[in-house]
Amino acid sequence: MVITGTSKGIGRHLAESYAGEGYLVEGCSRRKADFQLPGYTHHELDVANERQVKAMISNVSRRHGRIDVLINNAAVASMNHVLLTPADASNRMLEVNVTGTMMFCRDAAKVMIRRRYGRIVNFTTIVAPIALAGEAVYAASKAAVVTFTRILAHEVGQWGITCNSFGATPIMTDMIRSVPQDKIDAVVKGLAIKRLGSLADCKNVCDFFINPKSDNITGQVVYLGGIT
Amino acid sequence: MQKEVALDVVLSCLRNAMEQFGNGQEGAVGTDTVIVGQSAVLDSIGLVSLIVDIEQRLEADHGIAVTLASEKAMSQRSSPFRTCGVLAEHVCSIIAEEQTA
Ligand SMILES: NC(=O)c1ccc[n+]([C@@H]2O[C@H](COP(=O)([O-])OP(=O)(O)OC[C@H]3O[C@@H](n4cnc5c(N)ncnc54)[C@H](OP(=O)(O)O)[C@@H]3O)[C@@H](O)[C@H]2O)c1
C-alpha cells in the first residue's frame, strides 16, 4: 500500500493504522518520518517532482512486485483571500495537490494493471462543495482532484482498478491550525453532524473504498458531515 | 539497448496486446506492423496497454525505468508509436537519453 503525506496528520494516522493491521505501507513526505514501525517504509520526496515519484513507485514495484492500494493524501493549503494570493502560491497548490496526485495515480496504476487489481483513494475536501471564502485556490485544486478521479475511474476500470475521492470536514491537524476558531465553528455549524471530523472518520471511509469487496464502487466522492 | 532486443520486446508485448485488444486479425507481426492510425492492429486502449506493458517489461527484465510517452514524444509531428520498427527505435533513443541525463 502506498500512502502520500505520512509524516504527520491524517496520512500518519493511516500509515500507522494500516501497518498495524499488517499492510506493507510505503509512505512519503518531504521530511523524514519521526517514527518507525514494522511494515512501514518511508521515502523522502516531493510529490510534485516527477523524477522522485517515478523512482519511489519503481522502488516499491521492484521490492514488492505489486501495489494494491494507493491513498493520495499529501496536500498543501494556503488560506488567503484571492485578492491577496500570489501566483507562486497558487501554482504550488495546483502542482502538489493536482499534478502530484495525477503522477502517483499514473505510475501506481501502471503497476496495478499487472495484477488487474487496484484501489485508489484521492483526498479532496468539503471546502470545495461549500465554497468557503478564503480558500478559493485550495478548494479549486481539490475540485480538480474529484473530476480527475471520476475520469480516471473510467480510464482504468477495465483493469480492475477503482478510483474514489474522500472529502473530510475540518480535522485538527497542522493544516488548519492557523484558521481562526470562529471560521471553523461556522463551518461545523453548517454540517448535518455538528462536530469536527476525526482521524477515525477518515480511516473508516478509506477502509470502505479499499475493501476488495468494493470492486463495483468507483468514480464516487464521499464527504463527511452531510455535505454533498 | 540494441535495436534487435528492443524490437523483440515490442513484438512480444504487441502479441500479448493483440490477444486482449486486437480486432481479430491475428497472424504475423513484424517491423512494419502498424500500431497507430488507419489499419492499426490495436484500438486506443490496446495502444495504452501496449506502451505500459513495454515499460513494465523493460523494467522487470532489463532493469531500465523509462517513460515512453514523454512530452517530447507526444509532440513529435509523426508518432514514435507508428509501427513496431519505429517504436523499437524510439525505445532505444529514450533509453540512450535517460542514460546520458
Ligand atoms: N485537516 C483538515 O481539516 C482537512 C480537511 C479536509 C481535507 N483534508 C485533506 O486531508 C489531507 C491530509 O491533511 P492533513 O490535515 O493531515 O495535513 P497536514 O497535517 O498538513 O499533513 C500533510 C502531509 O502531507 C505532506 N506533504 C505536503 N506537501 C508535500 C509534498 N509536496 N510532497 C510530499 N509530501 C507532502 C506533509 O509532509 P511534509 O511537510 O514533510 O512534506 C504531511 O505529511 C490533505 O489532502 C488535505 O487536503 C484535511
Side-chain angles (χ1 to χ4, degrees):
Chain A
M1 166 185 296
V2 171
I3 308 178
T4 66
T6 46
S7 61
K8 58 181 181 168
I10 302 168
R12 176 172 175 165
H13 174 76
L14 295 176
E16 288 175 341
S17 309
Y18 285 122
E21 289 175 16
Y23 279 92
L24 295 174
V25 178
E26 302 280 328
C28 66
S29 63
R30 288 163 302 178
R31 288 168 309 138
K32 282 195 172 66
D34 59 6
F35 60 94
Q36 285 188 329
L37 281 171
Y40 178 79
T41 307
H42 195 77
H43 303 253
E44 268 170 69
L45 59 80
D46 180 345
V47 298
N49 181 316
E50 186 164 30
R51 190 168 278 276
Q52 292 179 350
V53 173
K54 271 189 210 292
M56 172 176 169
I57 296 297
S58 163
N59 174 288
V60 173
S61 155
R62 254 198 320 276
R63 287 175 24 249
H64 300 296
R66 60 196 259 197
I67 296 174
D68 296 335
V69 176
L70 165 67
I71 301 180
N72 274 303
N73 158 85
V76 285
S78 152
M79 322 304 187
N80 239 336
H81 195 286
V82 178
L83 304 190
L84 305 176
T85 300
D88 280 351
S90 172
N91 286 338
R92 184 67 185 149
M93 279 184 270
L94 294 171
E95 187 177 76
V96 172
N97 303 356
V98 183
T99 310
T101 295
M102 182 283 288
M103 291 192 295
F104 265 94
C105 289
R106 179 195 63 195
D107 293 343
K110 286 181 180 179
V111 179
M112 290 171 172
I113 279 176
R114 279 189 215 151
R115 300 183 68 241
R116 303 284 189 268
Y117 179 88
R119 297 280 178 268
I120 295 177
V121 183
N122 292 335
F123 275 43
T124 181
T125 166
I126 62 151
V127 307
I130 70 172
L132 188 64
E135 308 203 358
V137 179
Y138 169 66
S141 74
K142 292 297 195 168
V145 167
V146 173
T147 302
F148 168 78
T149 307
R150 289 177 54 214
I151 296 178
L152 179 69
H154 284 272
E155 292 194 350
V156 298
Q158 67 197 299
W159 288 296
I161 303 172
T162 65
C163 312
N164 294 287
S165 307
F166 162 60
T169 47
I171 297 176
M172 275 306 159
T173 63
D174 286 352
M175 184 169 273
I176 67 160
R177 259 185 246 291
S178 60
V179 178
Q181 189 59 44
D182 57 339
K183 200 169 167 196
I184 295 175
D185 292 344
V187 170
V188 170
K189 213 170 147 202
L191 300 173
I193 306 294
K194 299 189 194 310
R195 66 164 172 86
L196 289 172
S198 68
L199 298 173
D201 290 334
C202 300
K203 168 123 189 330
N204 181 37
V205 178
C206 289
D207 282 346
F208 169 63
F209 282 145
I210 72 171
N211 191 319
K213 284 190 222 153
S214 298
D215 67 338
N216 202 12
I217 310 293
T218 195
Q220 305 302 305
V221 49
V222 168
Y223 295 108
L224 296 178
I227 300 298
T228 50
Chain B
M1 173 174 276
Q2 290 191 320
K3 174 141 186 234
E4 296 73 49
V5 180
L7 188 61
D8 276 349
V9 174
V10 169
L11 293 176
S12 148
C13 292
L14 179 62
R15 281 187 206 101
N16 280 347
M18 284 173 69
E19 266 175 34
Q20 292 176 61
F21 301 98
N23 48 16
Q25 354 155 205
E26 298 303 323
V29 289
T31 319
D32 297 329
T33 305
V34 178
I35 315 173
V36 182
Q38 276 188 344
S39 68
V41 290
L42 292 175
D43 62 9
S44 58
I45 286 298
L47 176 66
V48 172
S49 180
L50 170 68
I51 300 301
V52 171
D53 197 21
I54 294 173
E55 286 177 358
Q56 300 277 316
R57 193 80 69 92
L58 290 171
E59 180 151 14
D61 298 350
H62 303 273
I64 306 168
V66 286
T67 301
L68 297 177
S70 64
E71 185 100 38
K72 196 166 133 209
M74 302 315 273
S75 58
Q76 280 172 24
R77 192 176 291 202
S78 60
S79 167
F81 307 141
R82 280 191 314 280
T83 63
C84 292
V86 174
L87 179 51
E89 271 165 30
H90 176 63
V91 168
C92 294
S93 70
I94 287 267
I95 293 173
E97 264 174 41
E98 194 74 18
Q99 282 165 349
T100 54

